[in-house]
Amino acid sequence: MDAGHRSTYDPLHHHSTVEVALKYRIPSFAAALLIGVLAPLQAARAEYPEKPVRLIVPAAPGGAADNHARALAIELHKRLGQPFVIENKPGASGAIGMDVVAKAAPDGYTIGSNNLATFIVGTLTAKQLPYRIESDFTPISSLFTQPNLVGVTPSLPVKTLVELIAYAKANPNMISFGSTGQGTSLHVLTEMLRMNAGIEMVHAPYKSAPAAEGDLAAGHIQLMISNFTSMEPQVKAGRIRALAITSATRSPRLPDVPTVAQAGAPYLEMVTWAGIVGPKGMPPAIVKRLNTTINEILSDPNFKKQYEAMGSEPDIKTPEQFAAMIKSDFAKWGEVIRKGRITVD
């Protein structure tokens, strides 16, 4: 054979370790050693994923978290060749679903969606949880960000956030504000407004954003800070008056609504986010493959339109950047929750 064209035949590429041992009549003790040493090399040849992946959603079907996750799962299936099967695990402010992820094998075949409400605020307000977000999860990828809207009932005689604060100071405990429940992110955000503005209001917790927004439109409560996707239709229909958006920039969907900084409350900025995490100890190669693929999906113009139609902005981050954001928000909102002494009932 020509020296410049030496064979690159690799028996391990064509046969199992056991077949190689038998074919080349390797003694039994040596065969055992060969199996122990070379089997991991064969396993490493397989490209993740080799079977369906569970994608845990800690929320009920049909909601914003579920819809975002399902759109992503379809694209992951297309690009990675295996189904990403949605499993809805609602309950306990997301803790049930997060616990499933935390206790899963760290092989990449069980991952979960997380967000600011379930992962940060829910953890900080819970009296006890079966996991620790600081040590029991592997951050994989950020997915999107979404602002909130500060809305009031149209019958309230205020047109700006400054006027709202002045009215609340002149009428202590005369404003009832809605939220999606005691200790939720929307409750915490409104408590931040109350504490920093030096006003007193009455909390009216609801089981869902639409239920609270319905009462806000009807005038049964006077104020609510809610997620953009949910409140936007009510604002456009004139049933709720939006005073500010909690992002750093205005939304092209509601260009006349100022940012909280422009409205005089820079301390109220809060952008909701969502991402993908796995259990602790996931192989870095699998984390990188998932992160790279998800970021490719988020960069796709057609997919971006899907998220934007749901009021969200795709958010591309490395696993390290996503982990840093989680750590930063844990500290930021932990301080607000401690000062407000907010816990889940």
Side-chain angles (χ1 to χ4, degrees), residues 5-295:
H5 294 83
R6 292 182 180 177
S7 172
T8 57
Y9 174 77
D10 176 3
L12 291 178
H13 183 72
H14 297 276
H15 305 285
S16 71
T17 308
V18 174
E19 289 173 334
V20 171
L22 293 173
K23 181 177 178 65
Y24 294 97
R25 297 180 181 179
I26 298 173
S28 58
F29 74 90
L33 179 63
L34 182 68
I35 292 171
V37 173
L38 297 181
L41 297 179
Q42 286 186 315
R45 295 179 187 279
E47 190 172 56
Y48 168 88
E50 294 185 280
K51 61 182 181 180
V53 178
R54 303 165 71 204
L55 176 49
I56 306 299
V57 177
D66 182 65
N67 292 336
H68 282 85
R70 289 182 187 275
L72 177 70
I74 291 171
E75 294 301 317
L76 285 170
H77 184 188
K78 290 178 183 177
R79 293 169 186 259
L80 295 179
Q82 291 288 348
F84 279 68
V85 183
I86 300 293
E87 290 189 20
N88 296 94
K89 301 287 185 182
S93 298
I96 292 175
M98 289 291 94
D99 191 42
V100 172
V101 178
K103 290 181 170 54
D107 56 8
Y109 290 98
T110 298
I111 57 177
S113 65
N114 71 331
N115 56 53
L116 175 65
T118 60
F119 210 62
I120 303 295
V121 176
T123 297
L124 289 166
T125 56
K127 294 178 181 177
Q128 187 175 359
L129 286 173
Y131 55 79
R132 293 175 60 85
I133 69 163
E134 310 97 309
S135 57
D136 291 344
F137 296 92
T138 298
I140 296 173
S141 180
S142 179
L143 289 182
F144 65 85
T145 59
Q146 188 179 90
N148 297 297
L149 289 171
V150 182
V152 296
T153 187
S155 62
L156 196 69
V158 301
K159 298 292 179 65
T160 67
L161 193 54
V162 170
E163 289 180 0
L164 171 68
I165 293 170
Y167 180 90
K169 286 183 176 180
N171 301 275
N173 289 319
M174 294 299 290
I175 290 180
S176 294
F177 70 89
S179 79
T180 46
Q182 177 76 17
T184 61
S185 60
L186 299 180
H187 176 208
V188 171
L189 185 56
T190 315
E191 284 292 335
M192 175 183 270
L193 169 64
R194 185 190 65 76
M195 288 187 294
N196 284 291
I199 56 180
E200 295 300 326
M201 302 185 292
V202 179
H203 181 210
Y206 288 77
K207 291 185 177 180
S208 69
E213 290 162 5
D215 272 6
L216 180 64
H220 300 310
I221 57 175
Q222 291 72 48
L223 167 70
M224 184 177 181
I225 301 178
S226 191
N227 62 75
F228 187 97
T229 304
S230 180
M231 188 175 280
E232 180 197 17
Q234 299 268 39
V235 172
K236 286 185 172 180
R239 291 189 288 268
I240 292 175
R241 180 183 299 136
L243 302 184
I245 188 170
T246 65
S247 54
T249 58
R250 296 191 184 209
S251 169
R253 298 169 68 98
L254 291 173
D256 294 333
V257 178
T259 68
V260 286
Q262 292 168 341
Y267 50 78
L268 197 57
E269 186 173 312
M270 179 199 218
V271 177
T272 296
W273 52 260
I276 298 292
V277 295
K280 66 178 179 181
M282 281 183 63
I286 291 179
V287 174
K288 182 178 180 180
R289 181 162 173 76
L290 282 169
N291 177 266
T292 300
T293 305
I294 290 171
N295 285 344

